[in-house]
Amino acid sequence: MYIHLDRSSATPLWQQIVTEIIQKIHTQKLHPDDQLTPTRVLAQELNVSRSTVQLAYDELLARGYVSTSRRGGTKVISSDQYTASTPHQSEPPFSPPTRPHFEEAEKQMDHWLSANQFHEKLDIDFRHQEPAIDAHFQNIWKRSLMKALQRLDMKDWGYSSSHGLWEVRSEIRQYLSVERGIDVEEDQMVLTGGTQQAIDLISQVLLKKGDTVAVEDPGFPGARLSFMHREMNIHPSPVDEEGMVVNTLPRRTKLIAVTPSHQRPTGVCMSVNRRQQLLKFAVSHQSYILEDDFDGDYRYHGGPLPSLFSEAPEHVIYILSFSKVLAPGIRLAAIVGSRAVMKEIAALQSLIQRQLPIMEQITLASFFKEGEFTRYVRRMRQLYKKRQAAMMEALLTHHFDKHFRIYGTDTGLHVFLEGAQDFDEKESIEAAKAAGVGIYPLSPYCFESNRKGLLLGFACTDENMIQEGVRRLKKILHI
């Protein structure tokens, strides 16, 4: 059996022997039941050690190309795959099954993401999907990571609870008690890889195919599209100055997804009367409320609003995300609910991915433990408050309030300018882009709603740039 070895190659000789023999099998120079040259003989022929040949034969055996026995030696096994032609050459291309609900959700998600794509080349970008992230944040996060690693024990690298690390849940529990009036125990919380995953886990545990889910319209596309993917019956409930219009909810509604502290994207806060209507509906119809508190820490007049969960813990599932408070890249959120529901969600999480990665969890725990979280939120709240004030001053100075209804002025990281029915979002956005300014449309957040308007974020833009950006917008929008 002729085998060519390139002794100048970086590839080990035994690997070269393996490659050559496999090539001979595939090209039918070696046939099923052909016996390979004994190791001692082939070693002499190739002028290599017998152990080198034995290593090659062991590898062929491990890969399933040969069989070996004391009497028969090493033989090529019988297999239909060894043909001169490329395997599967004549087979039609394989594709996954069609899934209409998934494909439609994917298409709409792409539309939403592309409409909110950040414009790095623009002079001023009023992007609204992320908080400001600077060197200060990176430094304190790195410091928290190093302190967490110093406290880390060997056992912490093993399997842990699918609820999430106890240390993290304990810190979040204390924070929720002080800042949100939510008093729970650690077993009433499950950590997830962000809000999107949290919503999907909740839908799988609490709902079945065809159940009715009410969503805000306009509202967060991520929630609606997650329910669409799971083949739920989506009911869009309109949003007005007081939040979701509760009297539009069907009696059969199983789950109601809301952002009461700062409606996404219009920015309104759900009124006390509307909150009571929503809670009363959930109790009387045995429905769940999914409360998404995505940026409630950033309220500029008064403290954070009380949660729906604190008023009806058996009917509300609360989600706390760190994407807007800290940074999207952290990919951590917490689901809070009754013990029975959290037990089921944790079991599902264990089935899907067993547990979350450890590094982000221990760093976040350290971030809380060292007091960095409180200090950072306080610092950023003051920064955003100044930028929000600069945005409102610029809008009012240039009389935007005479052409738009302005929402979301007390909480969050953006304002919403609602236009008339004939307002052309696309034309305005293109004109702004030509002037070096990035603004964003309301329409990707709408399901059946025909409301029109613009979303202007201020978190990532300083006061001077805000003023200049609004000045340019006034000119292009002919205000």
Side-chain angles (χ1 to χ4, degrees):
M1 180 170 59
Y2 175 74
I3 293 178
H4 171 72
L5 297 180
D6 182 359
R7 298 180 186 275
S8 63
S9 172
T11 303
L13 296 177
W14 70 268
Q15 281 190 353
Q16 294 186 46
I17 296 172
V18 170
T19 301
E20 285 268 336
I21 293 176
I22 290 176
Q23 181 66 21
K24 292 179 184 299
I25 293 173
H26 280 305
T27 57
Q28 293 186 319
K29 293 179 181 177
L30 284 174
H31 300 88
D33 294 326
D34 280 354
Q35 187 171 12
L36 299 188
T37 305
T39 56
R40 186 185 303 277
V41 176
L42 186 59
Q44 293 175 350
E45 292 178 358
L46 300 178
N47 193 24
V48 297
S49 68
R50 186 182 179 187
S51 62
T52 298
V53 178
Q54 187 62 58
L55 184 60
Y57 280 20
D58 289 343
E59 178 68 12
L60 291 168
L61 178 65
R63 295 198 197 182
Y65 283 97
V66 299
S67 62
T68 183
S69 65
R70 180 171 297 180
R71 293 185 177 182
T74 302
K75 293 183 178 181
V76 176
I77 66 171
S78 300
S79 176
D80 296 332
Q81 67 175 321
Y82 306 138
T83 59
S85 61
T86 303
H88 314 300
Q89 186 174 11
S90 60
E91 294 183 6
F94 179 77
S95 59
T98 58
R99 293 179 292 168
H101 289 84
F102 173 76
E103 291 166 3
E104 178 60 26
E106 180 185 34
K107 182 174 69 174
Q108 293 188 34
M109 178 66 80
D110 287 343
H111 172 61
W112 172 55
L113 294 175
S114 62
N116 290 284
Q117 186 175 4
F118 303 150
H119 307 294
E120 296 181 357
K121 296 182 179 179
L122 295 179
D123 301 331
I124 304 164
D125 194 346
F126 289 124
R127 61 183 185 267
H128 62 285
Q129 292 279 38
E130 65 179 48
I133 303 170
D134 55 14
H136 174 72
F137 170 75
Q138 292 194 81
N139 289 335
I140 58 177
W141 187 259
K142 185 186 299 182
R143 188 162 63 238
S144 294
L145 171 61
M146 297 308 297
K147 290 181 179 179
L149 287 172
Q150 291 172 4
R151 291 194 291 263
L152 200 64
D153 193 274
M154 289 293 184
K155 68 179 186 303
D156 294 325
W157 290 100
Y159 290 111
S160 62
S161 172
S162 55
H163 281 262
L165 292 180
W166 185 91
E167 182 183 12
V168 190
R169 288 181 282 134
S170 178
E171 294 292 340
I172 295 175
R173 180 187 67 80
Q174 296 178 47
Y175 163 76
L176 289 175
S177 178
V178 173
E179 297 293 335
R180 296 292 191 277
I182 295 177
D183 294 315
V184 293
E185 299 300 326
E186 284 80 4
D187 61 352
Q188 291 180 256
M189 187 184 308
V190 174
L191 303 183
T192 71
T195 299
Q196 201 73 13
Q197 185 188 48
I199 293 172
D200 191 51
L201 289 171
I202 291 167
S203 67
Q204 291 185 69
V205 167
L206 298 182
L207 303 168
K208 61 181 183 296
K209 179 180 176 180
D211 278 348
T212 297
V213 178
V215 298
E216 298 167 316
D217 188 19
F220 176 44
R224 173 169 55 82
L225 298 177
S226 180
F227 297 132
M228 179 186 293
H229 165 55
R230 293 295 175 184
E231 300 186 48
M232 306 304 170
N233 176 34
I234 310 296
H235 174 78
S237 291
V239 173
D240 62 15
E241 292 82 355
E242 296 186 58
M244 174 185 276
V245 182
V246 177
N247 61 19
T248 64
L249 297 176
R251 295 177 60 85
R252 64 184 181 279
T253 303
K254 297 293 185 182
L255 185 141
I256 309 156
V258 291
T259 50
S261 297
H262 181 227
Q263 202 278 326
R264 189 176 185 183
T266 67
V268 301
C269 294
M270 185 175 283
S271 68
V272 173
N273 288 339
R274 201 63 63 79
R275 285 169 175 254
Q276 293 306 313
Q277 290 177 22
L278 181 60
L279 292 170
K280 183 178 179 181
F281 179 94
V283 172
S284 61
H285 294 84
Q286 291 298 290
S287 306
Y288 280 102
I289 298 171
L290 193 162
E291 180 180 11
D292 181 4
D293 189 8
F294 67 100
D295 64 359
D297 283 284
Y298 296 130
R299 190 162 183 260
Y300 310 116
H301 302 285
L305 295 174
S307 66
L308 294 173
F309 180 88
S310 62
E311 299 185 53
E314 292 300 317
H315 286 274
V316 179
I317 310 297
Y318 177 90
I319 299 178
L320 172 67
S321 170
F322 295 98
S323 293
K324 295 292 186 294
V325 180
L326 298 177
I330 293 175
R331 302 317 307 152
L332 281 178
I335 310 175
V336 178
S338 67
R339 284 186 173 85
V341 172
M342 291 303 103
K343 181 180 179 180
E344 293 298 315
I345 290 177
L348 176 60
Q349 173 135 282
S350 179
L351 181 65
I352 294 173
Q353 64 173 14
R354 185 62 180 87
Q355 67 187 61
L356 293 176
I358 188 175
M359 299 309 297
E360 286 79 7
Q361 293 187 79
I362 64 170
T363 307
L364 182 60
S366 178
F367 206 70
F368 273 103
K369 189 182 294 292
E370 301 295 330
E372 297 287 9
F373 184 87
T374 301
R375 288 191 291 270
Y376 181 77
V377 169
R378 187 184 303 122
R379 171 181 178 268
M380 298 309 291
R381 188 184 292 126
Q382 291 303 313
L383 175 67
Y384 295 149
K385 184 176 181 179
K386 291 179 181 178
R387 293 180 177 180
Q388 182 268 349
M391 174 68 78
M392 290 306 303
E393 180 184 5
L395 292 173
L396 296 177
T397 298
H398 293 293
H399 309 296
F400 275 71
D401 56 320
K402 295 182 179 179
H403 300 269
F404 297 91
R405 299 187 69 178
I406 304 177
Y407 294 95
T409 60
D410 292 328
T411 307
L413 308 180
H414 76 275
V415 296
F416 167 47
L417 308 182
E418 182 166 20
Q421 286 297 305
D422 60 351
F423 178 71
D424 193 325
E425 291 180 344
K426 184 176 181 180
E427 180 181 339
S428 300
I429 290 167
E430 291 302 319
K433 189 182 298 184
V437 181
I439 55 179
Y440 299 88
L442 176 71
S443 54
Y445 292 84
C446 297
F447 188 31
E448 292 183 353
S449 173
N450 57 3
R451 296 174 70 175
K452 303 289 181 60
L454 300 172
L455 302 172
L456 275 63
F458 50 79
C460 302
T461 311
D462 64 33
E463 292 91 324
N464 292 332
M465 298 302 286
I466 288 172
Q467 293 172 2
E468 173 61 17
V470 173
R471 186 192 67 79
R472 294 189 193 182
L473 288 179
K474 175 183 179 180
K475 184 176 181 180
I476 65 169
L477 296 177
H478 308 296
I479 293 176

